[in-house]
Amino acid sequence: MDFGRSDHWRLPTPIKILIAGGFGAGKTTMVGAVSETRTVRTEEMLTHAGVYVDDLTGVESKPTTTVAMDFGRITIRGDYTLYLFGTPGQERFFFVWDELASGALGAVVLADTRRLADCFPAVDYFEKRGQPFVVALNCFDGARPFTVGEVRQALGLDPGVPIVRCDARRRESGRDVLVTLVEHAMRMGASPVGTLS
């Protein structure tokens, strides 16, 4: 018996993925929807002091904000275990992004088309790092349905950056976005081996 060569005993390859985007874009929701395990969340209540710092236009009913990260895990096709790190969306918490991005294969930039400009910092961040990313248009009820071409032009995206529609509340939709990211990163030559740090 050759126990060392059986595919049955092979462990999935671990891959670190970031879920980034603006405040209220659905990052915490997406991580929670796709994770196989109970998610770790670092959400705090919005306070009156933040009224002068946080722009709540379009998300006035949102009572909390992520102050460090969200964390979850999902196995894709039995081959890859994705470790998901949701970033904080407000500028005052951007200092944690470098730590979260270290060793990541790539990122999903979750975009709320009601507040499209809020994902500019995430797009700029990953472009400057040369890190593979995809833009996922989170389909909010009642939001104007922009075309992929309109979003690409508005964000000034390179033609090679995938743009996909998703519903961050639905596990299957989030999983499909993650598969798109992993495939895009591998086409760009990124290696999933040894990406966790």
Side-chain angles (χ1 to χ4, degrees):
M1 266 182 145
D2 188 356
F3 292 104
R5 295 184 180 266
S6 173
D7 283 340
H8 179 72
W9 297 103
R10 187 173 59 85
L11 295 174
T13 301
I15 300 175
K16 182 178 184 181
I17 300 289
L18 296 187
I19 311 297
F23 175 64
K27 300 176 299 297
T28 298
T29 300
M30 182 176 179
V31 172
V34 300
S35 183
E36 299 166 340
T37 60
R38 184 175 175 180
T39 57
V40 174
R41 295 180 176 175
T42 59
E43 287 196 305
E44 293 295 332
M45 295 298 294
L46 291 169
T47 64
H48 180 69
V51 168
Y52 306 104
V53 179
D54 302 324
D55 178 11
L56 301 181
T57 307
V59 290
E60 293 85 0
S61 63
K62 184 170 170 41
T64 61
T65 186
T66 299
V67 296
M69 69 173 190
D70 300 308
F71 176 78
R73 184 188 80 208
I74 181 173
T75 303
I76 301 289
R77 298 181 186 150
D79 297 324
Y80 303 105
T81 298
L82 306 186
Y83 293 92
L84 309 174
F85 291 81
T87 67
Q90 295 159 286
E91 187 175 349
R92 60 189 161 126
F93 299 120
F94 283 1
F95 65 92
V96 301
W97 282 36
D98 286 340
E99 202 60 42
L100 292 176
S102 177
L105 178 76
V108 172
V109 175
L110 204 54
D112 176 353
T113 57
R114 301 169 303 176
R115 298 164 46 112
L116 195 57
D118 287 1
C119 70
F120 282 137
V123 168
D124 289 343
Y125 181 84
F126 297 113
E127 283 180 340
K128 286 177 183 170
R129 287 180 67 95
Q131 204 156 23
F133 68 96
V134 300
V135 173
L137 304 178
N138 193 7
C139 301
F140 284 91
D141 297 334
R144 180 177 168 220
F146 290 95
T147 68
V148 167
E150 288 173 322
V151 171
R152 186 175 304 284
Q153 183 176 5
L155 296 177
L157 293 175
D158 182 275
V161 175
I163 301 175
V164 295
R165 296 186 186 282
C166 75
D167 182 337
R169 301 168 295 185
R170 293 184 49 239
R171 179 181 175 85
E172 300 80 17
S173 183
R175 183 201 59 221
D176 292 346
V177 171
L178 295 169
V179 168
T180 300
L181 171 62
V182 171
E183 290 173 348
H184 172 61
M186 292 177 148
R187 278 193 306 272
M188 290 184 63
S191 171
V193 179
T195 57
L196 288 179
S197 65

